Amino acid sequence: MAEKQKVRIQSVDRILDIIEEVSKEKHGLSISEIAKRLDLQVSTTYNLIGTLKTRDYIHQDPETKRYFLGVKILSLKNIYVENIEIKSTALPLLEELHEEIPETIHLSICQGDHMVPIARLDSKYSVRVDTVYPGNKGPLYCTATGRALLFQMSDQELTSLLNEIDIVSYTDHTLTNIDAIKEEIEKSKKRGYSQDMMEHQDDVYCIGAPIYNYDNKIIASISISVPSIRFSPFEKERLIENVTRTADKISARVGYEKS
């Protein structure tokens, strides 16, 4: 089989070359130094760096005029490290939870205006739910794992988010009124867990809870999804107890201290 042709875009290559070159020098680089190292015109280098500065990928010292990596690069690094850490930390505890409740379990993070699972344990039963898989996006406003990620949003932030996204009805049970969604999330905060009562998928119930880090910040959430044939008031209480307990254990392992 012939090797697929590699597509390269020159401007993107140059942007990445600049970031990599600047990262090598702890004392920063000037425009002329960057241009010389990369065999670029100074004017071209200036324009490319202007874009990087605007997006905070490159920072210029106001006194020396030299360029350094910007806060956006550090932010992305921290997000990457945090996601790797939370997944490796959470998995052993999620596996323990799975032994207790062998239903479909998700570990998810927030990306923009979506939730994205980064780990999933499939149900051990023959009848199981077909939910969002790792790497795929899902809605925040009508899933248990998504709602748990919104617990720390202020009323203003939540209103702004809900006004910006497309709120669609996935089932006859989906809350689509912004005030009703906000009320449900507020109730969830007070009780310490979130729920999705067949709002995202027909005949699927879900219970979720947030994971906090050492800085008292929600960095992820976990949830258990159960088909309606195995759901009952007793089962709901069992799910709540196990999900919240596991979320608390994971939070403690990443440095969270409950007040």
Side-chain angles (χ1 to χ4, degrees):
M1 184 180 292
E3 183 181 354
K4 291 183 179 179
Q5 183 178 2
K6 294 181 180 179
V7 177
R8 299 186 68 138
I9 300 172
Q10 187 181 58
S11 59
V12 176
D13 262 343
R14 287 174 172 176
I15 286 278
L16 295 174
D17 286 341
I18 289 172
I19 291 173
E20 290 174 1
E21 204 62 41
V22 170
S23 73
K24 297 174 184 177
E25 299 295 336
K26 65 178 181 180
H27 299 299
L29 290 169
S30 67
I31 282 277
S32 59
E33 287 172 334
I34 295 170
K36 183 178 180 180
R37 288 189 181 198
L38 299 177
D39 195 23
L40 297 173
Q41 295 290 327
V42 171
S43 58
T44 301
T45 307
Y46 181 83
N47 290 333
L48 292 171
I49 284 182
T51 299
L52 289 167
K53 280 177 63 180
T54 302
R55 299 288 298 274
D56 292 327
Y57 286 96
I58 291 288
H59 164 72
Q60 184 181 31
D61 186 289
E63 294 183 2
T64 67
K65 305 301 181 184
R66 297 176 76 79
Y67 293 93
F68 301 82
L69 291 183
V71 293
K72 182 63 72 65
I73 292 287
L74 299 177
S75 172
L76 292 176
K77 174 194 170 188
N78 290 340
I79 290 171
Y80 172 76
V81 171
E82 197 167 67
N83 288 346
I84 293 296
E85 178 187 3
I86 191 62
K87 183 176 178 180
S88 61
T89 302
L91 274 176
L93 292 168
L94 293 181
E95 286 166 358
E96 287 181 15
L97 174 62
H98 206 222
E99 288 297 317
E100 180 70 23
I101 302 180
E103 301 283 0
T104 302
I105 297 173
H106 284 106
L107 170 68
S108 302
I109 59 171
C110 186
Q111 282 191 356
D113 55 7
H114 291 86
M115 67 85 177
V116 178
I118 58 174
R120 167 185 166 124
L121 301 179
D122 286 321
S123 171
K124 297 179 182 180
Y125 296 109
S126 56
V127 177
R128 63 184 69 177
V129 300
D130 186 21
T131 52
V132 183
Y133 283 80
N136 294 327
K137 294 179 179 179
L140 287 165
Y141 66 94
C142 65
T143 58
T145 186
R147 285 174 176 167
L149 293 167
L150 300 177
F151 279 14
Q152 286 190 324
M153 275 196 173
S154 67
D155 182 74
Q156 183 178 354
E157 290 170 332
L158 188 54
T159 300
S160 177
L161 171 71
L162 295 174
N163 279 320
E164 289 174 3
I165 64 176
D166 291 327
I167 298 178
V168 299
S169 182
Y170 289 91
T171 73
D172 291 340
H173 302 277
T174 309
L175 294 179
T176 55
N177 177 274
I178 288 179
D179 288 335
I181 295 170
K182 288 171 62 179
E183 182 180 353
E184 175 59 29
I185 292 172
E186 188 58 35
K187 288 179 181 177
S188 298
K189 289 181 189 178
K190 290 178 180 177
R191 64 192 174 212
Y193 69 89
S194 55
Q195 61 183 26
D196 157 15
M197 302 287 101
M198 300 194 297
E199 289 187 60
H200 188 224
Q201 290 179 275
D202 284 317
D203 300 318
V204 176
Y205 292 86
C206 192
I207 300 295
I211 295 169
Y212 297 82
N213 70 357
Y214 61 90
D215 204 25
N216 194 28
K217 173 187 170 187
I218 293 175
I219 56 171
S221 65
I222 62 170
S223 65
I224 299 183
S225 300
V226 181
S228 57
I229 58 171
R230 289 196 294 275
F231 193 77
S232 66
F234 170 78
E235 184 65 10
K236 180 179 179 180
E237 290 304 313
R238 196 166 77 97
L239 292 173
I240 292 167
E241 180 184 349
N242 282 275
V243 168
T244 54
R245 182 173 66 242
T246 301
D248 286 345
K249 286 182 179 179
I250 298 169
S251 297
R253 289 201 180 180
V254 292
Y256 175 64
E257 294 184 7
K258 208 168 187 177
S259 57

